[in-house]
Amino acid sequence: MTTSIDSRRQALREQFPVWIPRTLDAWLDVCAERYGDRPFVITDDVTLTYREVAEQSRRLADGLVALGVGPGQRVGMLMANHPEFVPLKFAIARTGATAIPFNYLYREDELGYVLAQSQCSTLITMSGFAGLDYLSMLDSIAPGWETPGRAGTDGDGPKDLRHVIVFPNDGRTREKAMDLDGLAALGDQNPGAAADMPHTPDGIGDMLYTSGSTGSPKGVQVTHDAVLRTAYGSALTRAYEDGRRILFSLPCYHMFGYVEGLLSVMYVGGAIIPQTSFSAENYFAGIQRHRATDILCVPTMAVAMVQTTARDRYDLSSLTAVLCGSAPAPIWLWETFEKDLGVSEIVTGYGMTECGGAMTLTFPEDPLELTSTTVGRPKIAGSAGVEGSDDLVRYRTVDPQTGEPLPAGETGELTSQGPTTMVGFHGKPEETALALRDGWLYSGDLGRVREDGYLEITGRSKELYKSGGELVMPKEIEDLLAARDDVSQVFAIGLNDDRWGEVGCAVIVPTAEARLTEEDVIAYCKEHLARFKVPKRVLFLDADDLPKTPTGKVQKFRLVEQATAAWKGTQR
């Protein structure tokens, strides 16, 4: 970097001395004025400037309004990281409607559920992706979907769905169905239709569905202002330089790609380099070709990048920064990343969709030990933060059973409070009331806030169970068994038991050559754990048999069902 971290942060603070709440589209218009001819979206096939994205978003918004889209409605997006995603996202904001970027790996039943639960009135969809045929799915979910203004009924698919617009990314479309070019042409016939659509910074701009790792996906409603504050906090904490370029393949239906990539670069007139899928070599090629300065990844991606020798064939000299999140990673990985890829600013973070995205980050100037042992401290957000503070959010811990606040430094359920917290879960008032209490968001994550403000994550409160009347923390058992050479993956869960009320079960994926038995596992736990923590049952599974969400997270509640069924089968 040509300037220091401190000077880069100071430049951002000076640019935003007072926070001005804006809608997403209004912020795009500000950026188009400031950075009009700068690249905003860069791919191998096309580059879009800030001005071009703004202009395209207006045409598309005018087309959507002509179809009847407006405030209070919800527009779904089944879109991978194609450049078209960006103007579409801002176009929906211009109409005053709520954008719902759906997980495009959903299967038919999952897609049908979220389309109905979200009360989506308009869907913009790819024709297909990664072997999935969305047009065929829609034939089953919403027969007659290609007819504009279709009248849904309770017995005929999602009853609110009126329009489906196809992005023919694989060359396929349908007769009668409108495509993106048709939507833009409709906008040209109705210029200015979206210009006066009422919407405000504190209105709901996005609804993002949780992964469903602990139950059915929930639609998290967040405001325009909330995601922009979170994005500014990222730019400030990570000390973005003018014109930063961030490459990522993480999907924009998730806060990671959307906020940490797309929205955050706007604060320095930077660009995103989105990719539709990950491979280490694709990342290297993109860095070299487009001179990326920053990448977003998760630990498995980082491991793939350091383990391949393909990097030796690429010029990665532009790369100086990486944000790696979603799971902890060992310090050796970051030391290797720094040494082999020449990256000097390595950070990790923590957050959840309900918070408005990542709320904590390690700082680029932090020692790598903090990147491996913590998930960072609250983002600094300057004028965008909690009133009277420089931080984006406040954290505290509470007793996971009673909800009572715990003394500073004690382990408990992490709760947070700040200006980016969700409005609530769509259509789920009872679950909203459980998550939001007295202005605090209850995360379901267990951890502690250290004296230096950094957070340590220790597990999930929903995964705690009682054995012999004592509370058991699954992560302690998982960490013990995961350290064995013959264990590839392990998950500790609680199962209902007629005698004990609840008993522990270790679900284990052994390594390929392992000869592990239930007796081995229980004996090993007895050597290292208090008696009440020792699992009474062990279930061995292949990795392919683990129940997962579309994004690959293991669903522990389904593991409980699986293990319960397996146990009952042995009792017959």
Side-chain angles (χ1 to χ4, degrees):
M1 290 293 178
T2 56
T3 55
S4 71
I5 289 171
D6 287 342
S7 62
R8 285 184 263 145
R9 280 206 191 106
Q10 187 57 32
L12 274 163
R13 287 184 186 276
E14 290 172 358
Q15 193 175 354
F16 299 92
V18 176
W19 185 254
I20 301 173
R22 292 183 173 96
T23 60
L24 287 159
D25 51 298
W27 176 234
L28 172 62
D29 291 344
V30 169
C31 293
E33 282 293 317
R34 290 180 182 172
Y35 310 117
D37 293 328
R38 285 197 191 188
F40 183 16
V41 184
I42 302 172
T43 69
D44 288 350
D45 300 317
V46 67
T47 294
L48 299 175
T49 66
Y50 278 86
R51 184 175 293 111
E52 287 169 335
V53 170
E55 289 171 351
Q56 288 183 23
S57 72
R58 290 189 191 96
R59 293 178 68 206
L60 294 165
D62 289 341
L64 288 169
V65 170
L67 289 177
V69 173
Q73 294 196 15
R74 299 170 190 88
V75 179
M77 303 175 71
L78 269 175
M79 292 279 290
N81 288 353
H82 295 286
E84 289 83 355
F85 178 95
V86 180
L88 273 169
K89 182 71 188 60
F90 288 104
I92 296 168
R94 287 190 192 283
T95 70
T98 298
I100 316 171
F102 289 125
N103 185 327
Y104 48 77
L105 298 181
Y106 281 145
R107 268 40 180 187
E108 186 175 304
D109 289 348
E110 296 163 316
L111 179 57
Y113 170 80
V114 293
L115 279 172
Q117 201 279 332
S118 65
Q119 298 175 291
C120 179
S121 67
T122 301
L123 174 67
I124 303 166
T125 179
M126 298 180 289
S127 44
F129 185 80
L132 297 174
D133 184 342
Y134 305 117
L135 307 187
S136 295
M137 285 188 201
L138 287 168
D139 287 338
S140 298
I141 295 168
W145 60 267
E146 58 268 76
T147 303
R150 64 177 293 277
T153 67
D154 288 334
D156 191 20
K159 62 185 180 65
D160 298 285
L161 187 63
R162 296 291 181 270
H163 296 281
V164 176
I165 298 154
V166 177
F167 167 48
N169 62 309
D170 62 7
R172 295 181 304 121
T173 184
R174 285 285 181 86
E175 189 178 354
K176 296 185 191 176
M178 178 175 285
D179 61 14
L180 281 189
D181 288 341
L183 181 63
L186 183 61
D188 292 339
Q189 295 163 24
N190 297 272
D196 298 320
M197 300 304 283
H199 57 298
T200 59
D202 60 358
I204 297 168
D206 293 297
M207 188 159 90
L208 295 95
Y209 274 85
T210 59
S211 64
S213 59
T214 57
S216 296
K218 296 186 286 288
V220 178
Q221 302 174 105
V222 292
T223 69
H224 294 254
D225 182 55
V227 292
L228 290 176
R229 286 176 187 262
T230 308
Y232 175 67
S234 296
L236 187 61
T237 304
R238 299 187 65 204
Y240 282 7
E241 75 285 358
D242 184 55
R244 177 170 289 216
R245 293 187 172 192
I246 304 180
L247 181 146
F248 61 92
S249 63
L250 299 161
C252 285
Y253 64 69
H254 191 282
M255 285 288 195
F256 202 164
Y258 174 42
V259 174
E260 304 302 324
L262 175 61
L263 296 184
S264 71
V265 295
M266 298 175 74
Y267 286 94
V268 290
I272 58 167
I273 306 165
Q275 297 186 342
T276 56
S277 61
F278 170 76
S279 78
E281 194 150 0
N282 282 346
Y283 260 45
F284 297 149
I287 293 166
Q288 173 180 282
R289 181 169 183 176
H290 304 299
R291 307 310 293 160
T293 54
D294 189 0
I295 57 172
L296 307 180
C297 65
V298 297
T300 53
M301 296 161 68
V303 169
M305 284 185 272
V306 300
Q307 286 185 340
T308 178
T309 57
R311 65 180 178 276
D312 297 332
R313 300 197 298 271
Y314 295 93
D315 175 7
L316 307 180
S317 59
S318 64
L319 186 68
T320 58
V322 58
L323 167 56
C324 183
S326 91
I331 193 167
W332 69 260
L333 176 60
W334 303 129
E335 290 172 340
T336 307
F337 218 88
E338 188 174 53
K339 173 174 153 293
D340 291 353
L341 277 77
V343 178
S344 58
E345 299 183 7
I346 299 171
V347 303
T348 191
Y350 161 76
M352 50 198 296
T353 310
E354 294 90 328
C355 289
M359 291 293 103
T360 71
L361 288 173
T362 53
F363 287 17
E365 62 266 44
D366 283 341
L368 291 178
E369 180 186 359
L370 283 175
T371 310
S372 295
T373 59
T374 78
V375 291
R377 48 146 295 152
K379 287 178 179 175
I380 52 174
S383 61
V386 174
E387 190 172 351
S389 167
D390 199 35
D391 294 340
L392 183 62
V393 66
R394 294 190 185 98
Y395 272 101
R396 70 175 187 183
T397 56
V398 300
D399 185 295
Q401 301 297 304
T402 67
E404 289 298 311
L406 295 172
E410 286 204 15
T411 298
E413 181 177 356
L414 288 164
T415 64
S416 64
Q417 186 182 66
T420 69
T421 303
M422 70 171 181
V423 174
F425 298 120
H426 172 70
K428 295 181 181 287
E430 292 180 0
E431 294 193 45
T432 298
L434 283 174
L436 288 173
R437 297 176 235 165
D438 298 322
W440 289 87
L441 176 68
Y442 285 65
S443 69
D445 291 324
L446 297 172
R448 75 182 188 100
V449 184
R450 306 185 340 173
E451 287 186 9
D452 58 8
Y454 284 72
L455 273 63
E456 295 175 354
I457 306 298
T458 56
R460 291 280 296 169
S461 65
K462 291 179 182 178
E463 295 166 2
L464 295 177
Y465 60 88
K466 282 191 173 181
S467 177
E470 297 285 347
L471 206 59
V472 178
M473 192 175 295
K475 192 170 186 297
E476 188 175 358
I477 301 165
E478 292 167 352
D479 286 347
L480 173 71
L481 293 173
R484 291 176 57 111
D485 292 338
D486 48 8
V487 173
S488 173
Q489 298 180 68
V490 57
F491 306 92
I493 55 178
L495 304 180
N496 291 329
D497 183 84
D498 292 340
R499 178 180 179 187
W500 300 100
E502 212 168 14
V503 297
C505 173
V507 180
I508 291 175
V509 177
T511 57
E513 306 300 323
R515 296 290 180 266
L516 204 54
T517 67
E518 182 175 50
E519 291 75 21
D520 294 334
V521 173
I522 291 174
Y524 186 75
C525 289
K526 283 180 177 177
E527 286 180 34
H528 298 279
L529 296 171
R531 184 176 177 182
F532 72 90
K533 298 178 185 177
V534 175
K536 287 186 168 55
R537 301 170 191 168
V538 180
L539 175 65
F540 295 103
L541 291 178
D542 291 331
D544 292 342
D545 294 331
L546 294 172
K548 301 184 187 75
T549 69
T551 51
K553 289 185 180 178
V554 170
Q555 297 173 302
K556 276 200 171 181
F557 74 100
R558 297 214 184 280
L559 268 186
V560 170
E561 296 171 0
Q562 215 166 326
T564 299
W567 178 252
K568 286 181 178 177
T570 64
Q571 302 305 299
R572 293 194 183 109

